[in-house]
Amino acid sequence: MFSEADFIHMQRALTLASRGMYTTTPNPRVGCVLVKDGLPIGEGFTQPAGQDHAEVQALKDARRRGHDPQGATAYVSLEPCSHFGRTPPCAHALIDARVKRVIAAMEDPNPQVSGRGLAMLRDAGIDVRCGLLANEARELNIGFVSRMTRARPWVRMKVAASLDGRTALPTGESQWITGEAARADGHAWRARACAILTGIGTVREDDPQLTVRGIDTPRQPLRVLIDSRLDVPLSARLLEGPPPLVFCGAIDERNAAHAEALTARGVEVVPLANEHGKVDLPAMLKRLGERGINELHVEAGHKLNGSLLREGCVDELLVYLAPSLLGAGSAGMFDVAAPATLDARTRLAFHSVDRVGDDLRILARLQTPSAPH
């Protein structure tokens, strides 16, 4: 169904799509290559929200280079959109350009599109095929797929630990268990996320900035804090720079003044209590999805990590293991109770295992029915 040349051009489209890794939010990362008479004549990738999508970029690039896209094949890493959003439909642009063929890596999971763009192209007499390098395209937009199909972001929990699974000494000392290369790699994962989440325990112990550093990125992810009792000190470094989003339990006479002080600093405080007075974590994910958060990067302590796991709010673990042992009594990665039987244990699937500097990086996905495959 697909030729070797088709694979080559689609791989190029995916490479172009990855250039929007840090910029397209909340839109998906999409690349497009126009090929005519066997040669690429134009290419593009989706620009920041409100600007040109990949297909329009590729068409403009072709014309700027003196090529007429009529009769060309468009290789697109995601189905061209069929609806008016902040920009006109890309399917219309391809039809107006009179391309001959469109090859898409995967259908758009957005219910507003979901096959309509491909149908529109077919109705215009264009030869349309779909499914080339679909898995690679899905991986590139795993957060967008999650938000479109589950109304919540893809949640990636990052942990740095010793080989015996310890994240800090009994004294709380944890900097640094892993090496410089692993820490730099962790910032690259922060940069691709739409938001970074931590808990009040980590703020008290480490006073993190929760920003991307050492990575060339045009934007900082939204910083999110879970603080059930609203105890975050006004001196916390998290409150410096663009204001974070803070989810708390109830706002009452005990913390109303503090909530007002935070609001005066530009912080958005969202009360979202469950029946125990803690932050309702599944509801929080839904709220973040409504805000257009595709990928949520978690860097928290073992208590919040455990709560997120117990409530089914984690999709994958990003674990950096250092070649060292910290021993008994040191903090673990997750505060979760032991299962009654081995059959009841939390199951994961290794997605990748790589060496980063002197450390190992493991990406493991939870095997849950709700996670998109």
Short mmCIF file of all heavy atoms in Angstrom, two decimals, residues 9-25 27-34 42-62 64-65 75-78 87 90 140-141 218:
data_model
loop_
_atom_site.label_atom_id
_atom_site.label_comp_id
_atom_site.label_asym_id
_atom_site.label_seq_id
_atom_site.Cartn_x
_atom_site.Cartn_y
_atom_site.Cartn_z
N HIS A 9 9.25 10.08 3.03
CA HIS A 9 8.63 11.41 3.11
C HIS A 9 7.81 11.57 4.39
O HIS A 9 7.80 12.65 4.98
CB HIS A 9 7.77 11.67 1.87
CG HIS A 9 8.54 11.72 0.59
ND1 HIS A 9 9.69 12.47 0.45
CD2 HIS A 9 8.34 11.09 -0.61
CE1 HIS A 9 10.16 12.32 -0.79
NE2 HIS A 9 9.36 11.49 -1.44
N MET A 10 7.15 10.49 4.83
CA MET A 10 6.39 10.59 6.07
C MET A 10 7.32 10.73 7.27
O MET A 10 7.01 11.46 8.23
CB MET A 10 5.46 9.39 6.26
CG MET A 10 4.57 9.51 7.50
SD MET A 10 3.47 10.97 7.47
CE MET A 10 2.20 10.37 6.33
N GLN A 11 8.45 10.05 7.22
CA GLN A 11 9.41 10.21 8.30
C GLN A 11 9.89 11.65 8.38
O GLN A 11 10.08 12.20 9.48
CB GLN A 11 10.61 9.27 8.09
CG GLN A 11 11.59 9.27 9.25
CD GLN A 11 10.95 8.85 10.56
OE1 GLN A 11 10.49 7.72 10.70
NE2 GLN A 11 10.90 9.76 11.52
N ARG A 12 10.06 12.27 7.22
CA ARG A 12 10.45 13.69 7.21
C ARG A 12 9.34 14.55 7.81
O ARG A 12 9.61 15.49 8.57
CB ARG A 12 10.75 14.13 5.77
CG ARG A 12 11.05 15.62 5.61
CD ARG A 12 12.24 16.06 6.44
NE ARG A 12 12.50 17.48 6.30
CZ ARG A 12 13.33 18.17 7.08
NH1 ARG A 12 13.97 17.55 8.08
NH2 ARG A 12 13.50 19.46 6.90
N ALA A 13 8.08 14.22 7.50
CA ALA A 13 6.96 14.97 8.07
C ALA A 13 6.96 14.85 9.60
O ALA A 13 6.68 15.83 10.31
CB ALA A 13 5.64 14.47 7.49
N LEU A 14 7.27 13.66 10.12
CA LEU A 14 7.31 13.47 11.57
C LEU A 14 8.47 14.24 12.19
O LEU A 14 8.34 14.80 13.29
CB LEU A 14 7.44 11.99 11.89
CG LEU A 14 6.18 11.15 11.62
CD1 LEU A 14 6.51 9.66 11.63
CD2 LEU A 14 5.09 11.48 12.64
N THR A 15 9.60 14.28 11.48
CA THR A 15 10.74 15.06 11.97
C THR A 15 10.38 16.54 12.05
O THR A 15 10.71 17.23 13.01
CB THR A 15 11.95 14.86 11.05
OG1 THR A 15 12.33 13.48 11.06
CG2 THR A 15 13.13 15.70 11.51
N LEU A 16 9.68 17.03 11.02
CA LEU A 16 9.23 18.42 11.04
C LEU A 16 8.25 18.65 12.19
O LEU A 16 8.33 19.67 12.89
CB LEU A 16 8.55 18.76 9.72
CG LEU A 16 9.47 18.88 8.50
CD1 LEU A 16 8.64 18.87 7.22
CD2 LEU A 16 10.30 20.16 8.58
N ALA A 17 7.35 17.70 12.41
CA ALA A 17 6.37 17.84 13.49
C ALA A 17 7.05 17.99 14.84
O ALA A 17 6.60 18.75 15.70
CB ALA A 17 5.44 16.63 13.51
N SER A 18 8.16 17.27 15.03
CA SER A 18 8.87 17.33 16.31
C SER A 18 9.47 18.71 16.57
O SER A 18 9.79 19.05 17.71
CB SER A 18 9.96 16.27 16.36
OG SER A 18 10.99 16.55 15.44
N ARG A 19 9.60 19.53 15.54
CA ARG A 19 10.11 20.88 15.73
C ARG A 19 9.11 21.74 16.52
O ARG A 19 9.48 22.78 17.08
CB ARG A 19 10.40 21.55 14.38
CG ARG A 19 11.57 20.95 13.63
CD ARG A 19 11.90 21.79 12.41
NE ARG A 19 12.97 21.22 11.61
CZ ARG A 19 13.41 21.73 10.47
NH1 ARG A 19 12.86 22.86 10.00
NH2 ARG A 19 14.39 21.14 9.79
N GLY A 20 7.87 21.32 16.54
CA GLY A 20 6.87 22.03 17.32
C GLY A 20 6.69 21.45 18.71
O GLY A 20 5.68 21.73 19.37
N MET A 21 7.66 20.67 19.15
CA MET A 21 7.55 19.99 20.44
C MET A 21 7.19 20.93 21.59
O MET A 21 6.39 20.60 22.45
CB MET A 21 8.88 19.29 20.75
CG MET A 21 8.88 18.45 22.02
SD MET A 21 7.84 16.99 21.89
CE MET A 21 8.83 15.99 20.77
N TYR A 22 7.78 22.12 21.60
CA TYR A 22 7.59 23.04 22.72
C TYR A 22 6.65 24.20 22.42
O TYR A 22 6.48 25.08 23.27
CB TYR A 22 8.94 23.62 23.16
CG TYR A 22 10.05 22.62 23.39
CD1 TYR A 22 11.36 22.93 23.10
CD2 TYR A 22 9.79 21.35 23.91
CE1 TYR A 22 12.39 22.02 23.31
CE2 TYR A 22 10.79 20.43 24.11
CZ TYR A 22 12.10 20.77 23.81
OH TYR A 22 13.11 19.86 24.02
N THR A 23 6.07 24.23 21.21
CA THR A 23 5.39 25.46 20.80
C THR A 23 3.93 25.32 20.40
O THR A 23 3.21 26.32 20.36
CB THR A 23 6.14 26.10 19.62
OG1 THR A 23 6.22 25.16 18.55
CG2 THR A 23 7.54 26.51 20.02
N THR A 24 3.46 24.13 20.06
CA THR A 24 2.13 24.04 19.43
C THR A 24 0.97 23.99 20.43
O THR A 24 -0.17 24.17 20.03
CB THR A 24 2.03 22.79 18.53
OG1 THR A 24 2.18 21.62 19.33
CG2 THR A 24 3.09 22.83 17.45
N THR A 25 1.25 23.73 21.68
CA THR A 25 0.20 23.60 22.70
C THR A 25 -0.82 24.73 22.59
O THR A 25 -0.43 25.89 22.46
CB THR A 25 0.84 23.64 24.10
OG1 THR A 25 1.75 22.56 24.22
CG2 THR A 25 -0.20 23.50 25.18
N ASN A 27 -2.51 22.79 20.48
CA ASN A 27 -2.68 22.05 19.24
C ASN A 27 -1.70 20.89 19.16
O ASN A 27 -0.68 20.86 19.85
CB ASN A 27 -2.47 22.99 18.04
CG ASN A 27 -3.54 24.05 17.93
OD1 ASN A 27 -4.67 23.83 18.35
ND2 ASN A 27 -3.20 25.20 17.39
N PRO A 28 -1.97 19.92 18.30
CA PRO A 28 -1.04 18.80 18.12
C PRO A 28 0.20 19.22 17.34
O PRO A 28 0.20 20.25 16.66
CB PRO A 28 -1.87 17.78 17.33
CG PRO A 28 -2.86 18.60 16.57
CD PRO A 28 -3.20 19.75 17.49
N ARG A 29 1.25 18.41 17.46
CA ARG A 29 2.49 18.63 16.71
C ARG A 29 2.34 17.95 15.36
O ARG A 29 2.23 16.72 15.29
CB ARG A 29 3.66 18.05 17.49
CG ARG A 29 3.82 18.66 18.87
CD ARG A 29 4.35 17.67 19.89
NE ARG A 29 4.49 18.28 21.21
CZ ARG A 29 4.45 17.60 22.34
NH1 ARG A 29 4.29 16.28 22.33
NH2 ARG A 29 4.59 18.22 23.49
N VAL A 30 2.34 18.72 14.28
CA VAL A 30 2.07 18.19 12.95
C VAL A 30 3.12 18.69 11.97
O VAL A 30 3.51 19.86 12.01
CB VAL A 30 0.66 18.59 12.46
CG1 VAL A 30 0.36 17.95 11.10
CG2 VAL A 30 -0.39 18.20 13.47
N GLY A 31 3.55 17.80 11.07
CA GLY A 31 4.46 18.17 10.00
C GLY A 31 3.87 17.80 8.66
O GLY A 31 3.04 16.89 8.56
N CYS A 32 4.27 18.50 7.60
CA CYS A 32 3.76 18.25 6.26
C CYS A 32 4.87 18.42 5.24
O CYS A 32 5.67 19.36 5.33
CB CYS A 32 2.61 19.21 5.94
SG CYS A 32 1.93 19.03 4.27
N VAL A 33 4.92 17.50 4.28
CA VAL A 33 5.87 17.56 3.16
C VAL A 33 5.08 17.45 1.87
O VAL A 33 4.25 16.53 1.72
CB VAL A 33 6.92 16.44 3.25
CG1 VAL A 33 7.84 16.48 2.04
CG2 VAL A 33 7.73 16.55 4.53
N LEU A 34 5.32 18.36 0.93
CA LEU A 34 4.71 18.30 -0.40
C LEU A 34 5.75 17.75 -1.37
O LEU A 34 6.89 18.23 -1.42
CB LEU A 34 4.27 19.69 -0.85
CG LEU A 34 3.12 20.33 -0.06
CD1 LEU A 34 2.92 21.76 -0.52
CD2 LEU A 34 1.84 19.53 -0.22
N GLY A 42 7.99 21.54 -0.89
CA GLY A 42 7.62 22.43 0.22
C GLY A 42 7.42 21.64 1.48
O GLY A 42 7.06 20.45 1.44
N GLU A 43 7.67 22.26 2.62
CA GLU A 43 7.47 21.59 3.90
C GLU A 43 7.15 22.60 4.98
O GLU A 43 7.41 23.80 4.84
CB GLU A 43 8.71 20.77 4.28
CG GLU A 43 9.99 21.55 4.39
CD GLU A 43 11.19 20.67 4.70
OE1 GLU A 43 11.22 19.49 4.29
OE2 GLU A 43 12.12 21.18 5.36
N GLY A 44 6.56 22.11 6.06
CA GLY A 44 6.20 23.00 7.15
C GLY A 44 5.77 22.21 8.37
O GLY A 44 5.54 21.00 8.30
N PHE A 45 5.65 22.91 9.48
CA PHE A 45 5.14 22.30 10.71
C PHE A 45 4.25 23.30 11.43
O PHE A 45 4.37 24.52 11.22
CB PHE A 45 6.27 21.79 11.61
CG PHE A 45 7.21 22.87 12.10
CD1 PHE A 45 7.02 23.48 13.33
CD2 PHE A 45 8.30 23.26 11.33
CE1 PHE A 45 7.89 24.46 13.79
CE2 PHE A 45 9.18 24.25 11.77
CZ PHE A 45 8.97 24.86 13.01
N THR A 46 3.36 22.82 12.25
CA THR A 46 2.38 23.66 12.91
C THR A 46 3.05 24.70 13.79
O THR A 46 3.92 24.39 14.60
CB THR A 46 1.42 22.81 13.75
OG1 THR A 46 0.69 21.94 12.87
CG2 THR A 46 0.42 23.68 14.50
N GLN A 47 2.62 25.94 13.62
CA GLN A 47 3.15 27.07 14.38
C GLN A 47 2.34 27.25 15.68
O GLN A 47 1.36 26.55 15.91
CB GLN A 47 3.10 28.32 13.52
CG GLN A 47 3.89 28.21 12.22
CD GLN A 47 5.36 27.95 12.46
OE1 GLN A 47 6.06 28.78 13.03
NE2 GLN A 47 5.84 26.79 12.03
N PRO A 48 2.76 28.15 16.55
CA PRO A 48 2.00 28.38 17.79
C PRO A 48 0.53 28.67 17.51
O PRO A 48 0.16 29.13 16.43
CB PRO A 48 2.71 29.60 18.41
CG PRO A 48 4.12 29.48 17.92
CD PRO A 48 4.01 28.95 16.52
N ALA A 49 -0.31 28.39 18.50
CA ALA A 49 -1.76 28.49 18.35
C ALA A 49 -2.17 29.83 17.75
O ALA A 49 -1.68 30.89 18.16
CB ALA A 49 -2.43 28.31 19.72
N GLY A 50 -3.04 29.75 16.75
CA GLY A 50 -3.52 30.94 16.07
C GLY A 50 -2.76 31.25 14.80
O GLY A 50 -3.18 32.10 14.01
N GLN A 51 -1.62 30.57 14.59
CA GLN A 51 -0.82 30.77 13.39
C GLN A 51 -0.99 29.57 12.44
O GLN A 51 -1.78 28.67 12.70
CB GLN A 51 0.65 30.98 13.76
CG GLN A 51 0.88 32.20 14.65
CD GLN A 51 2.34 32.40 15.00
OE1 GLN A 51 3.22 32.18 14.17
NE2 GLN A 51 2.60 32.83 16.23
N ASP A 52 -0.24 29.57 11.35
CA ASP A 52 -0.42 28.57 10.30
C ASP A 52 -0.21 27.14 10.81
O ASP A 52 0.70 26.87 11.60
CB ASP A 52 0.57 28.80 9.17
CG ASP A 52 0.25 30.04 8.36
OD1 ASP A 52 -0.91 30.50 8.43
OD2 ASP A 52 1.15 30.54 7.66
N HIS A 53 -1.05 26.23 10.30
CA HIS A 53 -0.84 24.81 10.53
C HIS A 53 0.17 24.30 9.51
O HIS A 53 0.59 25.01 8.59
CB HIS A 53 -2.17 24.06 10.40
CG HIS A 53 -3.10 24.31 11.55
ND1 HIS A 53 -4.27 23.59 11.72
CD2 HIS A 53 -3.04 25.18 12.59
CE1 HIS A 53 -4.88 24.02 12.81
NE2 HIS A 53 -4.17 24.99 13.35
N ALA A 54 0.58 23.04 9.68
CA ALA A 54 1.66 22.47 8.87
C ALA A 54 1.36 22.52 7.38
O ALA A 54 2.24 22.85 6.57
CB ALA A 54 1.91 21.04 9.32
N GLU A 55 0.13 22.18 6.98
CA GLU A 55 -0.21 22.11 5.57
C GLU A 55 -0.10 23.49 4.91
O GLU A 55 0.42 23.61 3.80
CB GLU A 55 -1.62 21.56 5.39
CG GLU A 55 -1.82 20.15 5.92
CD GLU A 55 -2.26 20.11 7.36
OE1 GLU A 55 -1.89 21.03 8.14
OE2 GLU A 55 -2.96 19.16 7.75
N VAL A 56 -0.60 24.50 5.59
CA VAL A 56 -0.54 25.86 5.04
C VAL A 56 0.91 26.33 4.96
O VAL A 56 1.32 26.97 3.98
CB VAL A 56 -1.38 26.82 5.90
CG1 VAL A 56 -1.20 28.27 5.44
CG2 VAL A 56 -2.86 26.43 5.83
N GLN A 57 1.70 26.00 5.97
CA GLN A 57 3.13 26.32 5.95
C GLN A 57 3.82 25.68 4.74
O GLN A 57 4.62 26.32 4.05
CB GLN A 57 3.79 25.82 7.23
CG GLN A 57 3.62 26.74 8.43
CD GLN A 57 4.76 27.73 8.54
OE1 GLN A 57 5.92 27.35 8.58
NE2 GLN A 57 4.42 29.01 8.60
N ALA A 58 3.49 24.40 4.49
CA ALA A 58 4.12 23.69 3.37
C ALA A 58 3.71 24.30 2.03
O ALA A 58 4.53 24.43 1.11
CB ALA A 58 3.76 22.21 3.42
N LEU A 59 2.44 24.65 1.89
CA LEU A 59 1.97 25.27 0.65
C LEU A 59 2.65 26.61 0.41
O LEU A 59 3.07 26.93 -0.70
CB LEU A 59 0.45 25.44 0.70
CG LEU A 59 -0.38 24.15 0.63
CD1 LEU A 59 -1.84 24.44 0.97
CD2 LEU A 59 -0.26 23.51 -0.75
N LYS A 60 2.76 27.42 1.47
CA LYS A 60 3.44 28.70 1.34
C LYS A 60 4.91 28.51 0.99
O LYS A 60 5.47 29.26 0.17
CB LYS A 60 3.32 29.49 2.65
CG LYS A 60 1.94 30.07 2.91
CD LYS A 60 1.93 30.88 4.20
CE LYS A 60 0.57 31.53 4.43
NZ LYS A 60 0.55 32.32 5.71
N ASP A 61 5.54 27.50 1.60
CA ASP A 61 6.94 27.23 1.34
C ASP A 61 7.16 26.84 -0.13
O ASP A 61 8.10 27.30 -0.79
CB ASP A 61 7.44 26.12 2.26
CG ASP A 61 8.92 25.82 2.08
OD1 ASP A 61 9.72 26.77 2.08
OD2 ASP A 61 9.28 24.63 1.96
N ALA A 62 6.26 26.00 -0.66
CA ALA A 62 6.38 25.58 -2.06
C ALA A 62 6.26 26.77 -3.00
O ALA A 62 7.07 26.93 -3.94
CB ALA A 62 5.31 24.54 -2.38
N ARG A 64 6.74 29.91 -2.30
CA ARG A 64 7.86 30.82 -2.09
C ARG A 64 9.09 30.35 -2.86
O ARG A 64 9.92 31.15 -3.31
CB ARG A 64 8.15 30.90 -0.60
CG ARG A 64 9.19 31.94 -0.20
CD ARG A 64 9.15 32.23 1.30
NE ARG A 64 9.14 31.01 2.09
CZ ARG A 64 8.16 30.64 2.90
NH1 ARG A 64 7.07 31.40 3.00
NH2 ARG A 64 8.22 29.53 3.59
N ARG A 65 9.18 29.03 -3.03
CA ARG A 65 10.33 28.46 -3.75
C ARG A 65 10.05 28.33 -5.25
O ARG A 65 10.83 27.72 -6.00
CB ARG A 65 10.66 27.09 -3.16
CG ARG A 65 11.23 27.19 -1.76
CD ARG A 65 11.07 25.93 -0.93
NE ARG A 65 11.74 24.77 -1.50
CZ ARG A 65 11.79 23.57 -0.91
NH1 ARG A 65 11.19 23.40 0.27
NH2 ARG A 65 12.41 22.57 -1.49
N TYR A 75 2.21 14.72 2.36
CA TYR A 75 2.44 13.78 3.45
C TYR A 75 2.24 14.55 4.75
O TYR A 75 2.96 15.51 5.04
CB TYR A 75 3.85 13.21 3.39
CG TYR A 75 4.10 12.34 2.18
CD1 TYR A 75 4.52 12.90 0.97
CD2 TYR A 75 3.92 10.97 2.23
CE1 TYR A 75 4.75 12.12 -0.16
CE2 TYR A 75 4.14 10.17 1.12
CZ TYR A 75 4.56 10.75 -0.07
OH TYR A 75 4.77 9.95 -1.18
N VAL A 76 1.24 14.15 5.52
CA VAL A 76 0.88 14.87 6.74
C VAL A 76 0.87 13.90 7.91
O VAL A 76 0.31 12.80 7.82
CB VAL A 76 -0.51 15.54 6.61
CG1 VAL A 76 -0.73 16.52 7.73
CG2 VAL A 76 -0.66 16.22 5.27
N SER A 77 1.47 14.31 9.03
CA SER A 77 1.58 13.40 10.18
C SER A 77 0.28 13.28 10.96
O SER A 77 0.18 12.44 11.87
CB SER A 77 2.71 13.85 11.10
OG SER A 77 2.47 15.14 11.62
N LEU A 78 -0.74 14.08 10.62
CA LEU A 78 -2.07 13.99 11.25
C LEU A 78 -3.10 14.44 10.22
O LEU A 78 -2.84 15.32 9.40
CB LEU A 78 -2.14 14.88 12.50
CG LEU A 78 -3.40 14.77 13.36
CD1 LEU A 78 -3.45 13.42 14.08
CD2 LEU A 78 -3.45 15.90 14.39
N THR A 87 -7.86 29.15 12.88
CA THR A 87 -7.43 29.23 11.49
C THR A 87 -8.42 28.46 10.62
O THR A 87 -9.15 27.60 11.11
CB THR A 87 -6.02 28.62 11.31
OG1 THR A 87 -6.05 27.25 11.73
CG2 THR A 87 -5.00 29.38 12.15
N CYS A 90 -7.49 23.13 7.10
CA CYS A 90 -6.35 22.78 6.24
C CYS A 90 -6.80 21.92 5.06
O CYS A 90 -6.17 21.94 4.00
CB CYS A 90 -5.29 22.05 7.06
SG CYS A 90 -4.52 23.09 8.31
N LEU A 140 4.12 10.98 19.20
CA LEU A 140 4.48 12.39 19.17
C LEU A 140 3.38 13.26 19.77
O LEU A 140 3.66 14.31 20.36
CB LEU A 140 4.74 12.81 17.72
CG LEU A 140 5.42 14.15 17.46
CD1 LEU A 140 6.79 14.20 18.12
CD2 LEU A 140 5.54 14.39 15.97
N ASN A 141 2.14 12.79 19.67
CA ASN A 141 0.99 13.56 20.17
C ASN A 141 0.19 12.79 21.21
O ASN A 141 -1.03 12.91 21.28
CB ASN A 141 0.09 13.95 18.99
CG ASN A 141 0.67 15.07 18.17
OD1 ASN A 141 0.95 16.16 18.68
ND2 ASN A 141 0.86 14.83 16.88
N PRO A 218 11.01 28.22 23.91
CA PRO A 218 10.41 29.56 23.83
C PRO A 218 9.35 29.82 24.90
O PRO A 218 8.87 30.94 25.03
CB PRO A 218 9.77 29.56 22.43
CG PRO A 218 9.44 28.13 22.18
CD PRO A 218 10.52 27.33 22.84
#
